[in-house]
Amino acid sequence: MKVAHDFIDDLLDKINFSREEAPEIDRGIEKQELFSTDIIKHWLHFAVYYERAAVSFIGEWMRSIEEVDALEYFSHQIEDECNHFRWLNHHLVQYGGDFASFKAPKEWKFFFFFFYSVLDTLIGRLAAHNIAAETGALGFLEYGLNRFPKSIKETVTKVIKDERYHVAFGIKLLRRYCITDEQKALAQSTALESLQYMQRAREVFVFS
């Protein structure tokens, strides 16, 4: 019988495989040594919106979390996401962007404010956000780190450190609480559903 450790490894493998099988949507930027000003500004709008949304939906989760260790970790994560919002919004302003007047696509609103908000179990929340979404965010940040100008690169380096922590504690808590076959099935289905919505959000991000 598989133990929790093997299950988490299998889940991460499925997530990585799903990303590899997804249609290529980064062709417009993959050959650039440095991101253009337009791409940086576009990405900052996406990142700032996402970080602000994370503060909101994790804050909503806190009202129903009963596990003390999860409460502690998510409290830390809210502080991190708020810092990310503040740091990245500072860069957005420098690039002439305005978070307050930004109109997010409907795919972003659905993913960040509906899908996450209706998740009502710790396992589903960890699988969807800390495992599926945060590993995806990490992938882009690590891919693009050396393509940002120095000032943004320094900020992104700090964000990467925090996101790795978010993934790590997500894995730790899933190994602790995701035990039964039913729980494992929930984690897998929710993580893969999250990937689908993230893919749609990324497609809008790249082609808009």
Side-chain angles (χ1 to χ4, degrees), residues 4-205:
H5 176 81
D6 291 332
F7 163 71
I8 298 300
D9 289 341
D10 288 346
L11 178 59
L12 290 171
D13 287 344
K14 286 184 174 68
I15 290 171
N16 291 330
F17 178 77
S18 295
R19 288 202 181 93
E20 292 172 358
E21 290 295 301
E24 178 57 61
I25 64 174
D26 295 328
R27 293 175 181 172
I29 60 178
E30 65 181 357
K31 295 182 180 180
Q32 295 187 20
E33 291 186 4
L34 294 175
F35 291 140
S36 68
T37 298
D38 286 343
I39 286 177
I40 292 173
K41 183 178 178 180
H42 193 47
W43 173 76
L44 283 169
H45 271 124
F46 177 84
V48 169
Y49 187 86
Y50 192 2
E51 299 292 358
R52 179 62 185 86
V55 173
S56 294
F57 63 71
I58 297 173
E60 290 180 5
W61 293 349
M62 297 284 282
R63 299 171 60 186
S64 58
I65 292 174
E66 297 180 352
E67 298 83 356
V68 175
D69 50 359
L71 196 65
E72 178 182 356
Y73 281 123
F74 278 128
S75 296
H76 189 157
Q77 186 171 4
I78 287 178
E79 181 179 9
D80 289 343
E81 309 291 15
C82 192
N83 284 333
H84 301 169
F85 168 77
R86 179 168 52 85
W87 299 338
L88 294 171
N89 191 51
H90 174 74
H91 292 302
L92 179 61
V93 171
Q94 291 179 321
Y95 276 78
D98 180 14
F99 170 75
S101 62
F102 176 67
K103 303 298 183 184
K106 64 180 184 300
E107 291 85 356
W108 295 14
K109 293 179 180 178
F110 177 85
F111 183 39
F112 302 149
F113 287 104
F114 178 77
F115 174 70
Y116 283 132
S117 67
V118 299
L119 297 175
D120 58 0
T121 67
L122 177 63
I123 289 170
R125 292 164 178 174
L126 291 168
H129 188 236
N130 291 74
I131 306 300
E134 296 284 58
T135 55
L138 262 176
F140 177 81
L141 294 175
E142 292 169 343
Y143 156 81
L145 181 60
N146 292 320
R147 302 177 185 224
F148 288 111
K150 181 180 179 180
S151 61
I152 297 182
K153 180 178 178 180
E154 292 174 351
T155 298
V156 170
T157 299
K158 294 191 295 183
V159 173
I160 286 174
K161 179 181 178 181
D162 291 341
E163 301 295 5
R164 287 174 176 164
Y165 171 72
H166 301 162
V167 173
F169 86 68
I171 291 173
K172 179 178 180 179
L173 291 179
L174 268 187
R175 283 182 173 148
R176 181 173 297 166
Y177 293 111
C178 194
I179 305 300
T180 69
D181 289 342
E182 182 179 2
Q183 290 170 329
K184 293 175 183 179
L186 173 64
Q188 178 174 308
S189 63
T190 310
L192 296 180
E193 186 178 11
S194 178
L195 284 178
Q196 292 177 356
Y197 293 133
M198 173 171 278
Q199 182 68 18
R200 293 176 190 173
R202 289 180 65 236
E203 289 171 353
V204 173
F205 161 67

